C-alpha cells in the first residue's frame, strides 16, 4: 500500500454524522470545519507555536475508487436500507441507478420512514427481505428530476 498522508497532525476536529446524512451534506460541513481550522493552524505555524501529533499508521484505512457500477442497485437482491445507504453515500457521483419497470432511473433521494407528505410524493419500491424503499426524487433518462409520484403518473 502506498503511503498516504504520512505527516504529523497539526489540527483536527471531531464531528458527528447524522443517521440520514448524505455525502453532499457531510462534504459541505467538513469544508466549513476545515476552513475554520485552517487560519489558526497557519497562524500557529507562522508563529512557531504549532504543536504536532504523530499519526497512528495502524489506524489508517483506504478505499478503492468508486466506479459507475458501484451505483447500480437491484431491489430484488438488496434491502431498502442497503439501497437507501447507497443513495446517500454515492450522490452526486457515481450516483445510483435502478431499473423500474422498463426504465432505468437515477435515484436522487429516498426515505425508509416517510412522512405523510413524502409518502404522497414517493414511489414505493418493494425490495429484498420484504423491505420497502420510498423514492422521493428520481431522474428518468432525458427528463428533469421529479418526484416518485410524478414518475408513476408519467409526467
Amino acid at each position: 500500500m502506498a503511503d498516504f498522508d504520512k505527516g504529523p497532525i497539526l489540527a483536527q476536529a471531531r464531528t458527528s454524522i447524522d443517521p440520514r446524512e448524505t455525502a453532499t451534506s457531510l462534504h459541505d460541513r467538513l469544508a466549513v470545519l476545515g476552513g475554520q481550522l485552517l487560519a489558526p493552524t497557519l497562524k500557529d505555524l507562522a508563529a512557531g507555536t504549532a504543536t504536532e501529533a504523530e499519526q497512528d499508521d495502524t489506524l489508517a484505512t483506504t478505499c478503492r475508487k468508486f466506479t459507475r457500477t458501484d451505483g447500480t442497485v437491484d431491489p430484488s437482491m438488496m434491502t431498502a436500507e442497503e439501497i437507501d445507504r447507497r443513495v446517500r453515500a454515492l450522490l452526486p457521483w457515481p450516483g445510483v441507478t435502478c431499473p423500474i419497470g422498463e426504465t432505468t432511473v437515477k435515484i436522487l433521494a429516498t426515505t425508509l420512514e416517510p412522512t405523510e407528505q413524502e409518502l404522497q410524493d414517493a414511489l414505493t419500491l418493494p425490495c429484498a427481505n420484504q423491505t420497502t424503499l420510498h423514492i422521493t426524487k428520481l431522474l428518468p433518462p432525458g427528463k428533469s428530476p421529479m418526484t416518485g409520484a410524478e414518475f408513476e403518473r408519467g409526467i
Side-chain angles (χ1 to χ4, degrees), residues 29-62:
R29 284 194 317 105
L30 291 177
V32 170
L33 187 57
Q36 292 169 343
L37 287 174
L38 184 59
T41 303
L42 291 176
K43 284 180 183 177
D44 289 347
L45 274 171
T49 59
T51 57
E52 296 180 356
E54 293 301 316
Q55 294 190 52
D56 183 350
D57 294 337
T58 64
L59 299 176
T61 61
T62 60

PDB file of all heavy atoms in Angstrom, residues 29-62:
ATOM      1  N   ARG A  29     -20.310  20.307   5.273  1.00  0.00           N
ATOM      2  CA  ARG A  29     -19.996  20.583   6.692  1.00  0.00           C
ATOM      3  C   ARG A  29     -18.501  20.471   6.962  1.00  0.00           C
ATOM      4  O   ARG A  29     -17.926  21.277   7.692  1.00  0.00           O
ATOM      5  CB  ARG A  29     -20.762  19.627   7.609  1.00  0.00           C
ATOM      6  CG  ARG A  29     -22.212  19.973   7.751  1.00  0.00           C
ATOM      7  CD  ARG A  29     -22.940  19.263   8.891  1.00  0.00           C
ATOM      8  NE  ARG A  29     -22.664  17.853   9.071  1.00  0.00           N
ATOM      9  CZ  ARG A  29     -21.897  17.339  10.035  1.00  0.00           C
ATOM     10  NH1 ARG A  29     -21.308  18.108  10.899  1.00  0.00           N
ATOM     11  NH2 ARG A  29     -21.729  16.031  10.126  1.00  0.00           N
ATOM     12  N   LEU A  30     -17.853  19.449   6.361  1.00  0.00           N
ATOM     13  CA  LEU A  30     -16.414  19.272   6.582  1.00  0.00           C
ATOM     14  C   LEU A  30     -15.606  20.393   5.939  1.00  0.00           C
ATOM     15  O   LEU A  30     -14.558  20.791   6.462  1.00  0.00           O
ATOM     16  CB  LEU A  30     -15.954  17.908   6.051  1.00  0.00           C
ATOM     17  CG  LEU A  30     -16.470  16.700   6.822  1.00  0.00           C
ATOM     18  CD1 LEU A  30     -15.993  15.411   6.155  1.00  0.00           C
ATOM     19  CD2 LEU A  30     -16.038  16.735   8.283  1.00  0.00           C
ATOM     20  N   ALA A  31     -16.091  20.929   4.810  1.00  0.00           N
ATOM     21  CA  ALA A  31     -15.398  22.054   4.176  1.00  0.00           C
ATOM     22  C   ALA A  31     -15.397  23.269   5.102  1.00  0.00           C
ATOM     23  O   ALA A  31     -14.374  23.949   5.259  1.00  0.00           O
ATOM     24  CB  ALA A  31     -16.062  22.397   2.842  1.00  0.00           C
ATOM     25  N   VAL A  32     -16.517  23.545   5.734  1.00  0.00           N
ATOM     26  CA  VAL A  32     -16.603  24.673   6.674  1.00  0.00           C
ATOM     27  C   VAL A  32     -15.715  24.409   7.883  1.00  0.00           C
ATOM     28  O   VAL A  32     -14.940  25.283   8.314  1.00  0.00           O
ATOM     29  CB  VAL A  32     -18.072  24.910   7.106  1.00  0.00           C
ATOM     30  CG1 VAL A  32     -18.152  25.909   8.258  1.00  0.00           C
ATOM     31  CG2 VAL A  32     -18.903  25.379   5.926  1.00  0.00           C
ATOM     32  N   LEU A  33     -15.795  23.205   8.424  1.00  0.00           N
ATOM     33  CA  LEU A  33     -14.984  22.854   9.593  1.00  0.00           C
ATOM     34  C   LEU A  33     -13.493  22.951   9.275  1.00  0.00           C
ATOM     35  O   LEU A  33     -12.708  23.498  10.065  1.00  0.00           O
ATOM     36  CB  LEU A  33     -15.346  21.442  10.068  1.00  0.00           C
ATOM     37  CG  LEU A  33     -14.730  20.952  11.364  1.00  0.00           C
ATOM     38  CD1 LEU A  33     -15.069  21.884  12.523  1.00  0.00           C
ATOM     39  CD2 LEU A  33     -15.230  19.542  11.665  1.00  0.00           C
ATOM     40  N   GLY A  34     -13.085  22.466   8.112  1.00  0.00           N
ATOM     41  CA  GLY A  34     -11.681  22.565   7.706  1.00  0.00           C
ATOM     42  C   GLY A  34     -11.237  24.002   7.548  1.00  0.00           C
ATOM     43  O   GLY A  34     -10.125  24.382   7.949  1.00  0.00           O
ATOM     44  N   GLY A  35     -12.104  24.825   6.988  1.00  0.00           N
ATOM     45  CA  GLY A  35     -11.789  26.241   6.841  1.00  0.00           C
ATOM     46  C   GLY A  35     -11.609  26.924   8.186  1.00  0.00           C
ATOM     47  O   GLY A  35     -10.732  27.786   8.353  1.00  0.00           O
ATOM     48  N   GLN A  36     -12.430  26.538   9.158  1.00  0.00           N
ATOM     49  CA  GLN A  36     -12.315  27.115  10.499  1.00  0.00           C
ATOM     50  C   GLN A  36     -11.012  26.712  11.182  1.00  0.00           C
ATOM     51  O   GLN A  36     -10.478  27.463  11.997  1.00  0.00           O
ATOM     52  CB  GLN A  36     -13.511  26.698  11.363  1.00  0.00           C
ATOM     53  CG  GLN A  36     -14.817  27.300  10.910  1.00  0.00           C
ATOM     54  CD  GLN A  36     -16.036  26.675  11.585  1.00  0.00           C
ATOM     55  OE1 GLN A  36     -15.967  25.596  12.166  1.00  0.00           O
ATOM     56  NE2 GLN A  36     -17.170  27.360  11.478  1.00  0.00           N
ATOM     57  N   LEU A  37     -10.490  25.544  10.860  1.00  0.00           N
ATOM     58  CA  LEU A  37      -9.223  25.084  11.441  1.00  0.00           C
ATOM     59  C   LEU A  37      -8.005  25.688  10.744  1.00  0.00           C
ATOM     60  O   LEU A  37      -6.940  25.821  11.347  1.00  0.00           O
ATOM     61  CB  LEU A  37      -9.117  23.560  11.363  1.00  0.00           C
ATOM     62  CG  LEU A  37      -9.975  22.745  12.308  1.00  0.00           C
ATOM     63  CD1 LEU A  37      -9.842  21.263  11.985  1.00  0.00           C
ATOM     64  CD2 LEU A  37      -9.588  23.006  13.743  1.00  0.00           C
ATOM     65  N   LEU A  38      -8.153  26.042   9.477  1.00  0.00           N
ATOM     66  CA  LEU A  38      -7.009  26.445   8.668  1.00  0.00           C
ATOM     67  C   LEU A  38      -6.321  27.720   9.166  1.00  0.00           C
ATOM     68  O   LEU A  38      -5.106  27.738   9.371  1.00  0.00           O
ATOM     69  CB  LEU A  38      -7.427  26.610   7.208  1.00  0.00           C
ATOM     70  CG  LEU A  38      -6.303  26.929   6.232  1.00  0.00           C
ATOM     71  CD1 LEU A  38      -5.238  25.842   6.240  1.00  0.00           C
ATOM     72  CD2 LEU A  38      -6.865  27.121   4.832  1.00  0.00           C
ATOM     73  N   ALA A  39      -7.072  28.800   9.357  1.00  0.00           N
ATOM     74  CA  ALA A  39      -6.458  30.079   9.738  1.00  0.00           C
ATOM     75  C   ALA A  39      -5.681  29.987  11.053  1.00  0.00           C
ATOM     76  O   ALA A  39      -4.502  30.375  11.108  1.00  0.00           O
ATOM     77  CB  ALA A  39      -7.505  31.179   9.793  1.00  0.00           C
ATOM     78  N   PRO A  40      -6.264  29.482  12.143  1.00  0.00           N
ATOM     79  CA  PRO A  40      -5.482  29.397  13.379  1.00  0.00           C
ATOM     80  C   PRO A  40      -4.275  28.458  13.268  1.00  0.00           C
ATOM     81  O   PRO A  40      -3.230  28.707  13.867  1.00  0.00           O
ATOM     82  CB  PRO A  40      -6.472  28.892  14.425  1.00  0.00           C
ATOM     83  CG  PRO A  40      -7.760  28.648  13.750  1.00  0.00           C
ATOM     84  CD  PRO A  40      -7.647  29.088  12.340  1.00  0.00           C
ATOM     85  N   THR A  41      -4.411  27.405  12.484  1.00  0.00           N
ATOM     86  CA  THR A  41      -3.293  26.472  12.314  1.00  0.00           C
ATOM     87  C   THR A  41      -2.141  27.146  11.582  1.00  0.00           C
ATOM     88  O   THR A  41      -0.973  27.012  11.974  1.00  0.00           O
ATOM     89  CB  THR A  41      -3.754  25.209  11.555  1.00  0.00           C
ATOM     90  OG1 THR A  41      -4.831  24.603  12.269  1.00  0.00           O
ATOM     91  CG2 THR A  41      -2.631  24.218  11.396  1.00  0.00           C
ATOM     92  N   LEU A  42      -2.461  27.891  10.514  1.00  0.00           N
ATOM     93  CA  LEU A  42      -1.413  28.619   9.788  1.00  0.00           C
ATOM     94  C   LEU A  42      -0.766  29.691  10.661  1.00  0.00           C
ATOM     95  O   LEU A  42       0.448  29.899  10.603  1.00  0.00           O
ATOM     96  CB  LEU A  42      -1.987  29.231   8.507  1.00  0.00           C
ATOM     97  CG  LEU A  42      -2.381  28.236   7.419  1.00  0.00           C
ATOM     98  CD1 LEU A  42      -3.035  28.955   6.247  1.00  0.00           C
ATOM     99  CD2 LEU A  42      -1.202  27.399   6.973  1.00  0.00           C
ATOM    100  N   LYS A  43      -1.555  30.380  11.474  1.00  0.00           N
ATOM    101  CA  LYS A  43      -1.006  31.388  12.392  1.00  0.00           C
ATOM    102  C   LYS A  43      -0.046  30.743  13.388  1.00  0.00           C
ATOM    103  O   LYS A  43       1.027  31.276  13.662  1.00  0.00           O
ATOM    104  CB  LYS A  43      -2.131  32.112  13.133  1.00  0.00           C
ATOM    105  CG  LYS A  43      -2.865  33.124  12.293  1.00  0.00           C
ATOM    106  CD  LYS A  43      -3.963  33.809  13.093  1.00  0.00           C
ATOM    107  CE  LYS A  43      -4.741  34.767  12.219  1.00  0.00           C
ATOM    108  NZ  LYS A  43      -5.858  35.396  12.922  1.00  0.00           N
ATOM    109  N   ASP A  44      -0.443  29.606  13.942  1.00  0.00           N
ATOM    110  CA  ASP A  44       0.422  28.899  14.892  1.00  0.00           C
ATOM    111  C   ASP A  44       1.707  28.439  14.208  1.00  0.00           C
ATOM    112  O   ASP A  44       2.795  28.520  14.797  1.00  0.00           O
ATOM    113  CB  ASP A  44      -0.300  27.695  15.500  1.00  0.00           C
ATOM    114  CG  ASP A  44      -1.396  28.087  16.470  1.00  0.00           C
ATOM    115  OD1 ASP A  44      -1.455  29.271  16.870  1.00  0.00           O
ATOM    116  OD2 ASP A  44      -2.212  27.199  16.823  1.00  0.00           O
ATOM    117  N   LEU A  45       1.608  27.966  12.970  1.00  0.00           N
ATOM    118  CA  LEU A  45       2.804  27.553  12.237  1.00  0.00           C
ATOM    119  C   LEU A  45       3.737  28.739  12.017  1.00  0.00           C
ATOM    120  O   LEU A  45       4.945  28.644  12.238  1.00  0.00           O
ATOM    121  CB  LEU A  45       2.420  26.946  10.883  1.00  0.00           C
ATOM    122  CG  LEU A  45       2.082  25.465  10.870  1.00  0.00           C
ATOM    123  CD1 LEU A  45       1.519  25.068   9.508  1.00  0.00           C
ATOM    124  CD2 LEU A  45       3.287  24.621  11.204  1.00  0.00           C
ATOM    125  N   ALA A  46       3.172  29.874  11.576  1.00  0.00           N
ATOM    126  CA  ALA A  46       3.984  31.074  11.318  1.00  0.00           C
ATOM    127  C   ALA A  46       4.633  31.595  12.595  1.00  0.00           C
ATOM    128  O   ALA A  46       5.771  32.080  12.574  1.00  0.00           O
ATOM    129  CB  ALA A  46       3.119  32.161  10.683  1.00  0.00           C
ATOM    130  N   ALA A  47       3.931  31.482  13.711  1.00  0.00           N
ATOM    131  CA  ALA A  47       4.462  31.966  14.985  1.00  0.00           C
ATOM    132  C   ALA A  47       5.400  30.965  15.648  1.00  0.00           C
ATOM    133  O   ALA A  47       6.047  31.283  16.647  1.00  0.00           O
ATOM    134  CB  ALA A  47       3.302  32.298  15.923  1.00  0.00           C
ATOM    135  N   GLY A  48       5.462  29.766  15.102  1.00  0.00           N
ATOM    136  CA  GLY A  48       6.313  28.731  15.692  1.00  0.00           C
ATOM    137  C   GLY A  48       5.716  28.108  16.934  1.00  0.00           C
ATOM    138  O   GLY A  48       6.413  27.476  17.726  1.00  0.00           O
ATOM    139  N   THR A  49       4.412  28.269  17.116  1.00  0.00           N
ATOM    140  CA  THR A  49       3.758  27.716  18.305  1.00  0.00           C
ATOM    141  C   THR A  49       2.888  26.504  17.995  1.00  0.00           C
ATOM    142  O   THR A  49       2.168  26.015  18.866  1.00  0.00           O
ATOM    143  CB  THR A  49       2.881  28.803  18.975  1.00  0.00           C
ATOM    144  OG1 THR A  49       1.912  29.257  18.028  1.00  0.00           O
ATOM    145  CG2 THR A  49       3.727  29.973  19.463  1.00  0.00           C
ATOM    146  N   ALA A  50       2.946  26.025  16.772  1.00  0.00           N
ATOM    147  CA  ALA A  50       2.128  24.861  16.384  1.00  0.00           C
ATOM    148  C   ALA A  50       2.618  23.619  17.108  1.00  0.00           C
ATOM    149  O   ALA A  50       3.819  23.408  17.276  1.00  0.00           O
ATOM    150  CB  ALA A  50       2.188  24.652  14.877  1.00  0.00           C
ATOM    151  N   THR A  51       1.680  22.819  17.561  1.00  0.00           N
ATOM    152  CA  THR A  51       2.032  21.538  18.167  1.00  0.00           C
ATOM    153  C   THR A  51       1.682  20.433  17.178  1.00  0.00           C
ATOM    154  O   THR A  51       0.691  20.523  16.462  1.00  0.00           O
ATOM    155  CB  THR A  51       1.277  21.322  19.497  1.00  0.00           C
ATOM    156  OG1 THR A  51      -0.123  21.405  19.242  1.00  0.00           O
ATOM    157  CG2 THR A  51       1.667  22.367  20.519  1.00  0.00           C
ATOM    158  N   GLU A  52       2.511  19.431  17.154  1.00  0.00           N
ATOM    159  CA  GLU A  52       2.314  18.325  16.226  1.00  0.00           C
ATOM    160  C   GLU A  52       2.013  17.049  16.999  1.00  0.00           C
ATOM    161  O   GLU A  52       2.562  16.830  18.075  1.00  0.00           O
ATOM    162  CB  GLU A  52       3.569  18.101  15.379  1.00  0.00           C
ATOM    163  CG  GLU A  52       3.917  19.257  14.477  1.00  0.00           C
ATOM    164  CD  GLU A  52       5.168  19.000  13.647  1.00  0.00           C
ATOM    165  OE1 GLU A  52       5.811  17.941  13.835  1.00  0.00           O
ATOM    166  OE2 GLU A  52       5.493  19.848  12.811  1.00  0.00           O
ATOM    167  N   ALA A  53       1.161  16.233  16.428  1.00  0.00           N
ATOM    168  CA  ALA A  53       0.880  14.910  16.981  1.00  0.00           C
ATOM    169  C   ALA A  53       1.188  13.893  15.888  1.00  0.00           C
ATOM    170  O   ALA A  53       0.886  14.120  14.715  1.00  0.00           O
ATOM    171  CB  ALA A  53      -0.575  14.806  17.406  1.00  0.00           C
ATOM    172  N   GLU A  54       1.791  12.812  16.263  1.00  0.00           N
ATOM    173  CA  GLU A  54       2.094  11.759  15.300  1.00  0.00           C
ATOM    174  C   GLU A  54       0.836  10.949  15.001  1.00  0.00           C
ATOM    175  O   GLU A  54       0.000  10.739  15.866  1.00  0.00           O
ATOM    176  CB  GLU A  54       3.192  10.831  15.835  1.00  0.00           C
ATOM    177  CG  GLU A  54       4.544  11.507  15.956  1.00  0.00           C
ATOM    178  CD  GLU A  54       5.060  12.043  14.627  1.00  0.00           C
ATOM    179  OE1 GLU A  54       4.957  11.331  13.610  1.00  0.00           O
ATOM    180  OE2 GLU A  54       5.543  13.195  14.616  1.00  0.00           O
ATOM    181  N   GLN A  55       0.721  10.514  13.760  1.00  0.00           N
ATOM    182  CA  GLN A  55      -0.404   9.676  13.359  1.00  0.00           C
ATOM    183  C   GLN A  55      -0.127   8.232  13.723  1.00  0.00           C
ATOM    184  O   GLN A  55       1.021   7.778  13.687  1.00  0.00           O
ATOM    185  CB  GLN A  55      -0.625   9.759  11.850  1.00  0.00           C
ATOM    186  CG  GLN A  55      -1.073  11.119  11.381  1.00  0.00           C
ATOM    187  CD  GLN A  55      -1.522  11.093   9.940  1.00  0.00           C
ATOM    188  OE1 GLN A  55      -2.353  10.269   9.580  1.00  0.00           O
ATOM    189  NE2 GLN A  55      -0.992  12.000   9.139  1.00  0.00           N
ATOM    190  N   ASP A  56      -1.164   7.516  14.064  1.00  0.00           N
ATOM    191  CA  ASP A  56      -1.057   6.084  14.308  1.00  0.00           C
ATOM    192  C   ASP A  56      -1.365   5.379  12.989  1.00  0.00           C
ATOM    193  O   ASP A  56      -2.518   5.234  12.597  1.00  0.00           O
ATOM    194  CB  ASP A  56      -2.040   5.653  15.395  1.00  0.00           C
ATOM    195  CG  ASP A  56      -1.927   4.178  15.744  1.00  0.00           C
ATOM    196  OD1 ASP A  56      -1.221   3.430  15.025  1.00  0.00           O
ATOM    197  OD2 ASP A  56      -2.560   3.759  16.728  1.00  0.00           O
ATOM    198  N   ASP A  57      -0.311   4.973  12.286  1.00  0.00           N
ATOM    199  CA  ASP A  57      -0.474   4.361  10.965  1.00  0.00           C
ATOM    200  C   ASP A  57      -1.275   3.065  10.998  1.00  0.00           C
ATOM    201  O   ASP A  57      -1.842   2.662   9.983  1.00  0.00           O
ATOM    202  CB  ASP A  57       0.888   4.108  10.316  1.00  0.00           C
ATOM    203  CG  ASP A  57       1.617   5.398   9.987  1.00  0.00           C
ATOM    204  OD1 ASP A  57       0.942   6.439   9.843  1.00  0.00           O
ATOM    205  OD2 ASP A  57       2.850   5.359   9.879  1.00  0.00           O
ATOM    206  N   THR A  58      -1.360   2.419  12.155  1.00  0.00           N
ATOM    207  CA  THR A  58      -2.134   1.177  12.229  1.00  0.00           C
ATOM    208  C   THR A  58      -3.634   1.440  12.123  1.00  0.00           C
ATOM    209  O   THR A  58      -4.403   0.525  11.867  1.00  0.00           O
ATOM    210  CB  THR A  58      -1.841   0.412  13.532  1.00  0.00           C
ATOM    211  OG1 THR A  58      -2.273   1.213  14.649  1.00  0.00           O
ATOM    212  CG2 THR A  58      -0.350   0.087  13.662  1.00  0.00           C
ATOM    213  N   LEU A  59      -4.049   2.696  12.315  1.00  0.00           N
ATOM    214  CA  LEU A  59      -5.466   3.037  12.219  1.00  0.00           C
ATOM    215  C   LEU A  59      -5.854   3.549  10.839  1.00  0.00           C
ATOM    216  O   LEU A  59      -7.025   3.802  10.572  1.00  0.00           O
ATOM    217  CB  LEU A  59      -5.831   4.091  13.271  1.00  0.00           C
ATOM    218  CG  LEU A  59      -5.622   3.685  14.723  1.00  0.00           C
ATOM    219  CD1 LEU A  59      -5.936   4.850  15.653  1.00  0.00           C
ATOM    220  CD2 LEU A  59      -6.465   2.473  15.080  1.00  0.00           C
ATOM    221  N   ALA A  60      -4.872   3.691   9.956  1.00  0.00           N
ATOM    222  CA  ALA A  60      -5.136   4.232   8.618  1.00  0.00           C
ATOM    223  C   ALA A  60      -5.907   3.220   7.769  1.00  0.00           C
ATOM    224  O   ALA A  60      -5.666   2.017   7.827  1.00  0.00           O
ATOM    225  CB  ALA A  60      -3.826   4.591   7.931  1.00  0.00           C
ATOM    226  N   THR A  61      -6.849   3.732   7.000  1.00  0.00           N
ATOM    227  CA  THR A  61      -7.607   2.901   6.069  1.00  0.00           C
ATOM    228  C   THR A  61      -7.645   3.592   4.712  1.00  0.00           C
ATOM    229  O   THR A  61      -7.418   4.794   4.619  1.00  0.00           O
ATOM    230  CB  THR A  61      -9.051   2.677   6.546  1.00  0.00           C
ATOM    231  OG1 THR A  61      -9.714   3.934   6.631  1.00  0.00           O
ATOM    232  CG2 THR A  61      -9.097   1.977   7.889  1.00  0.00           C
ATOM    233  N   THR A  62      -7.918   2.824   3.689  1.00  0.00           N
ATOM    234  CA  THR A  62      -8.082   3.397   2.355  1.00  0.00           C
ATOM    235  C   THR A  62      -9.357   2.811   1.752  1.00  0.00           C
ATOM    236  O   THR A  62      -9.885   1.809   2.225  1.00  0.00           O
ATOM    237  CB  THR A  62      -6.889   3.063   1.429  1.00  0.00           C
ATOM    238  OG1 THR A  62      -6.782   1.642   1.312  1.00  0.00           O
ATOM    239  CG2 THR A  62      -5.587   3.641   1.966  1.00  0.00           C
TER     240      THR A  62
END
